[in-house]
Amino acid sequence: MLPKLPATLALLPLISAYAVPDADPAAVAPRHPLITPSPTLRGSVTRTIERRGILDDLKGDVNSVLSDLGSNIPSYVASGVPNFFQDFPVGDDVRKSLGVDESQVAALPTSVLNVPGYGNWTDQGWNLRFHGNVYKQPNTSEEKLNDLANVFLIDTSVEKLPPDQANQARNLTAEIFVLQQSNENVTFELKPAPTAGASGEQGGGGAVTPNGGSQQVKFPNPTTTEGDFDGFIQIESNGLADGNKTSDIQRLNVYTQGSNIGNATAYLVPPTGLTIISDIDDILRITKIYQPKEGLLNSFARPFVQWKNMPDIYANWSRSVPDFHFHYLTTTPEQVTRNYMDFIYKTYPGGSFDTRPLNFSDVSATLSIRKFLLNKIFETYPKRKFILVADTSNSDVMKDYPQMATDFPGQVQCIFLRNTSATDEGDRFPYDTSGFKNLDKNSYMFFKVPVGLPSPFAPSRDIWKGKGEEVADV
C-alpha cells in the first residue's frame, strides 16, 4: 500500500506531464563536458542531462500552496523546488560584488575544497576519485558580508541575529562569495587515515586504516572554468590490500599541496558489499527546507542539529555491518558544503561525499544532478548492493530513487524515506509516490520516526519485510 497523500496532490498530474524523459539508452552521449568521466567506465551506458524548466507550468498552482508560508518567498520556492541554494554568483560577478580588482585577486592565496572521494578496484588496481574546487577567498569587511548575507534571509537580518548566529551567517556568506580559479593544477599527498567520522567505534566506523598507500598524486587535468576538478586516477598499491582479496573498506587521508584547508578522507571500496547513499537535509539534520524562513536560518545561521536519534541508527548499522560503505549525497552546492561535512564527520560514521558542482547552478540543473551522481556511483560499483535513504520533501528523490531500482535491477536493496508531511505540519509541499507503484512493496519503506527503521541492520530484507505497508500507511 502506498502512503496516503496530501490533498494538494491534485497538482501531480501536471508534474508527470512535464517530467523530463529518460534518454534513449542506445544513444550513448558523452558526460557533461565540465565533469571529468571515470576512465574505468568507458563504454558504459550514460544518460544525457536535459536542463529544462520542467516545473514552470506549475507556478500558479504551487503558489496557492505557498500563500500562507510567510512573506518574501523566494522565486525558487514558487518554482516547486524548496532549495535555498540557487543562483550563487561566480567569477566576475563575485569580484564585482566585492569591489576587488584583478591585481588584488592575484595577491590572494589559493585555497582548495577537497571533497571526500571513493575508489573502486579494477584489473589494473585501485582507481580513486578526486573532486573539489580551487578558489581564492577575498578579504571582505563585516559590513559588506552583512549586506550580502541579508539577501539570503527572510523577514530578518544579520544585525537582528544572536552574535553566534550572525557570525555563522557571515562565514557562510564568505564561502559563497569566493573567486573560483580556472586552469589550476592540483597535487595531492595520500596517507593512511587512522580515523574518520563519529559512530562510537574505533576509527569512526565504516572503514579500516590500511597498512600502506602513502604516495603523491598529480591530478592530470587543470581545473574547469568554475574551478572544479573531478575524475578517477589510478593510484599505486604501496601496501594497500587488493580490492578482490578483502571486504574491508580502506580509508586514506588526502592532503592538497599548497593549501592547509584542502584536506579530506577518501574510501577505497571493494567491488561487492553494501553501500548506503544518504541524503542529509531533513533526514540526518533538522533543516525544514519546506519552510523557507526556518530553512534559511537553519542552513545559514543556526548550528546544525541532528534529526531525532538518527546518529544512533547509523551507528548501529555501522556496527552490525562492519563493511558498510556510507556515502552522503547532497544537492547543496559545493561552496557551502564544509558545514555539512563537518557536521557529518562529528555526528555520523565517516564516508564519501557528493555535492552539486558549480556548473549545475539553476533549478532545472538541480533536479538533474542527483540522478547524475547516483548513476556515477552505481556504474562505479555494478556488483554492490545499495540502500537509499532520504525524505519525501525532495521531488528529485521521489522520482530518482525508484528509478534507480528500475535502471539497475537487483542493486537497490531497499529505499527508506521519512514522510515529512506526516510528522511536520509545516511541510505542505506535494509529493508524488507514483514512481513506487511498480516496485516490490518489500523494497521500500516510508517511515515517520527513526524507531521505524531496522536497527541493527541485517543485509537480508527479511528484517523489514512486511513493515513497508504498515509504516507507509500514514
Side-chain angles (χ1 to χ4, degrees), residues 18-309:
Y18 290 93
V20 177
D22 285 337
D24 180 1
V28 179
R31 291 188 182 274
H32 194 281
L34 295 183
I35 300 294
T36 307
S38 164
T40 65
L41 298 180
R42 289 174 183 166
S44 299
V45 174
T46 61
R47 296 180 183 274
T48 59
I49 296 178
E50 296 190 49
R51 296 189 173 190
R52 293 170 47 191
I54 65 175
L55 297 180
D56 287 348
D57 294 313
L58 278 174
K59 286 182 179 179
D61 300 285
V62 175
N63 276 333
S64 66
V65 178
L66 299 170
S67 60
D68 59 349
L69 291 181
S71 62
N72 300 324
I73 300 300
S75 61
Y76 54 77
V77 180
S79 298
V81 183
N83 189 318
F84 310 117
F85 299 121
Q86 300 289 348
D87 301 321
F88 281 175
V90 296
D92 279 345
D93 290 339
V94 173
R95 186 174 61 81
K96 293 174 183 177
S97 297
L98 299 178
V100 294
D101 58 36
E102 294 183 0
S103 63
Q104 290 172 308
V105 174
L108 294 171
T110 300
S111 299
V112 177
L113 172 67
N114 191 1
V115 181
Y118 53 81
N120 66 323
W121 176 259
T122 71
D123 291 341
Q124 289 74 43
W126 284 109
N127 285 327
L128 180 58
R129 183 182 174 205
F130 297 84
H131 60 129
N133 187 266
V134 179
Y135 63 95
K136 290 190 175 185
Q137 179 79 64
N139 297 316
T140 310
S141 69
E142 182 174 305
E143 180 181 5
K144 185 66 175 179
L145 286 174
N146 286 349
D147 291 340
L148 295 171
N150 287 336
V151 174
F152 299 103
L153 300 175
I154 298 175
D155 293 340
T156 189
S157 66
V158 171
E159 292 82 0
K160 296 178 182 179
L161 296 175
D164 60 330
Q165 295 185 19
N167 285 334
Q168 178 162 317
R170 282 189 287 267
N171 289 338
L172 192 60
T173 301
E175 292 178 7
I176 294 170
F177 285 85
V178 296
L179 299 161
Q180 290 80 25
Q181 300 299 296
S182 64
N183 204 35
E184 292 286 338
N185 295 304
V186 189
T187 300
F188 306 95
E189 292 284 346
L190 305 184
K191 295 184 181 298
T195 183
S199 65
E201 295 182 81
Q202 183 179 3
V208 300
T209 305
N211 293 324
S214 296
Q215 57 195 282
Q216 183 181 101
V217 178
K218 182 177 180 179
F219 197 81
N221 303 315
T223 55
T224 67
T225 302
E226 290 87 359
D228 283 338
F229 58 91
D230 189 346
F232 285 79
I233 301 176
Q234 185 173 333
I235 62 174
E236 301 294 332
S237 174
N238 292 356
L240 294 169
D242 291 349
N244 59 351
K245 296 179 181 178
T246 182
S247 61
D248 289 336
I249 297 168
Q250 303 169 83
R251 59 177 173 252
L252 294 169
N253 280 334
V254 183
Y255 303 97
T256 308
Q257 286 190 356
S259 175
N260 58 6
I261 60 172
N263 304 327
T265 303
Y267 295 80
L268 302 179
V269 183
T272 60
L274 276 174
T275 291
I276 176 173
I277 300 179
S278 179
D279 194 15
I280 297 175
D281 287 312
D282 290 311
I283 181 67
L284 300 187
R285 80 174 188 99
I286 298 172
T287 311
K288 295 182 182 290
I289 64 172
Y290 35 81
Q291 293 180 276
K293 181 178 178 179
E294 285 296 296
L296 283 164
L297 286 172
N298 290 333
S299 298
F300 266 88
R302 295 169 180 162
F304 283 16
V305 176
Q306 68 190 51
W307 180 60
K308 295 189 181 293
N309 67 321

Side-chain angles (χ1 to χ4, degrees), residues 339 376 389:
N339 284 357
K376 181 186 280 281
V389 183

Side-chain angles (χ1 to χ4, degrees), residues 22 47 371 375 378 400 402-411:
D22 285 337
R47 296 180 183 274
K371 187 63 162 60
N375 282 345
F378 269 72
D400 295 341
Q403 189 64 44
M404 298 306 293
T406 301
D407 292 350
F408 297 88
Q411 281 194 262

